[in-house]
């Protein structure tokens, strides 16, 4: 069984993901690793990807037909 680097994981979860301590400790190690982008799951959405999506799909600023 491998050991966990709890200080690094706490820093990533509480500082990096902005989880409360209670939310951090409620996660399983697998859930935390998934949130951090490790393993077979997709990485969390980052700011650069959000900006790409906002450019590709901008909010409609116009009026709707039913007004």
């Amino acid at each position: 069984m491998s050991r966990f680097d709890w200080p690094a994981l706490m820093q990533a979860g509480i500082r990096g993901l902005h989880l409360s301590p209670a939310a951090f400790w409620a996660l399983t190690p697998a859930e935390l690793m998934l949130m951090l982008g490790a393993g077979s799951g997709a990485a969390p959405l980052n700011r650069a990807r959000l900006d790409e999506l906002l450019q590709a799909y901008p909010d409609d600023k116009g009026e709707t037909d039913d007004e």
Side-chain angles (χ1 to χ4, degrees):
M1 180 174 190
S2 65
R3 297 183 154 241
F4 292 106
D5 183 354
W6 287 111
L9 290 174
M10 289 173 64
Q11 219 171 52
I14 295 171
R15 285 181 140 181
L17 297 174
H18 305 287
L19 298 171
S20 69
F24 172 83
W25 289 112
L27 293 171
T28 65
E31 291 169 329
L32 179 59
M33 298 310 288
L34 182 66
M35 291 176 75
L36 292 172
S40 61
L45 182 69
N46 62 24
R47 184 63 202 201
R49 181 65 180 133
L50 176 60
D51 289 339
E52 288 174 15
L53 290 171
L54 288 171
Q55 279 196 331
Y57 305 99
D59 289 337
D60 183 18
K61 304 260 193 232
E63 299 200 15
T64 60
D65 292 335
D66 46 0
E67 285 186 36

